[in-house]
Amino acid sequence: DAGITQSPRHKVTETGTPVTLRCHQTENHRYMYWYRQDPGHGLRLIHYSYGVKDTDKGEVSDGYSVSRSKTEDFLLTLESATSSQTSVYFCAIGPGVYEQYFGPGTRLTVT
Amino acid sequence: GENVEQHPSTLSVQEGDSAVIKCTYSDSASNYFPWYKQELGKRPQLIIDIRSNVGEKKDQRIAVTLNKTAKHFSLHITETQPEDSAVYFCAASTTSGTYKYIFGTGTRLKVLA
């Protein structure tokens, strides 16, 4: 697997609390992505980054923000978690606009 | 918005038979089509991809075909084995905004021994 890790791997949090998920890569890839995976919906893009400090919204960005201050780290923040944000979150990286390689995922439960 | 439809949602085949999964896309500017395999509890893994200037690509027992006129592409798995059992996702690139993927909703393939 590509040098990509996610932390934490599992998290349970309460409604209304802030949550930050971290994606870390050792491949020096320019592109990084955050997806959520829910039954019946496949993988949906939340936010992505095409360089340090360069980010943009995906198709399901409401309630999420991101930051990328270093090439290797891409952070996803849920400002005030809601039950609808219970999901499995995958980070992906890519050397260019084509191939994307996924991290191991983070299972988030909001109670 | 742009869309990718994937069929069937579930597929059961006997070991040794072939499996075909089909996807259609809506963005006529799409030019890259990857396929991912996801085993239970694991990350999606890129298994094969095709670019719009190619009609077919093979890698051992898997192949992908692309029909740009009809805007559909398919994954073909021959001589299926139990370890092929997984969920398969197709995706299509889109330039709506900045270049990114839209994924299909997945096909659960079961290979029966």
Side-chain angles (χ1 to χ4, degrees), chain A residues 98, chain B residues 25 28-33 49-56 66-68 93 99:
Chain A
Y98 294 120
Chain B
Y25 60 97
S28 57
S30 294
N31 64 357
Y32 178 68
F33 308 91
D49 57 11
I50 193 169
R51 301 196 185 184
S52 60
N53 57 347
V54 176
E56 182 176 3
L66 171 65
N67 183 327
K68 286 215 70 179
S93 63
Y99 196 100

Side-chain angles (χ1 to χ4, degrees), chain B residues 61-101:
Chain B
R61 293 186 298 108
I62 60 173
V64 57
T65 58
L66 171 65
N67 183 327
K68 286 215 70 179
T69 302
K71 290 194 282 188
H72 66 71
F73 57 111
S74 300
L75 178 71
H76 304 254
I77 306 173
T78 59
E79 300 174 13
T80 54
Q81 300 168 3
E83 53 264 38
D84 294 328
S85 295
V87 178
Y88 291 81
F89 292 96
C90 65
S93 63
T94 178
T95 54
S96 175
T98 307
Y99 196 100
K100 49 188 178 286
Y101 293 174

Side-chain angles (χ1 to χ4, degrees), chain A residues 44-65:
Chain A
R44 292 181 292 173
L45 182 65
I46 305 171
H47 282 280
Y48 60 99
S49 170
Y50 45 95
V52 173
K53 299 193 190 307
D54 292 323
T55 64
D56 205 348
K57 296 179 179 180
E59 57 186 310
V60 289
S61 59
D62 287 349
Y64 302 94
S65 62

Side-chain angles (χ1 to χ4, degrees), chain A residues 32-89:
Chain A
M32 299 185 77
Y33 308 82
W34 277 108
Y35 291 89
R36 61 177 290 173
Q37 184 173 41
D38 305 288
H41 290 278
L43 291 149
R44 292 181 292 173
L45 182 65
I46 305 171
H47 282 280
Y48 60 99
S49 170
Y50 45 95
V52 173
K53 299 193 190 307
D54 292 323
T55 64
D56 205 348
K57 296 179 179 180
E59 57 186 310
V60 289
S61 59
D62 287 349
Y64 302 94
S65 62
V66 290
S67 66
R68 190 173 180 197
S69 58
K70 300 185 289 185
T71 298
E72 57 266 36
D73 289 325
F74 192 32
L75 304 180
L76 177 70
T77 297
L78 290 67
E79 302 291 348
S80 177
T82 67
S83 59
S84 65
Q85 293 176 313
T86 291
S87 187
V88 178
Y89 291 85

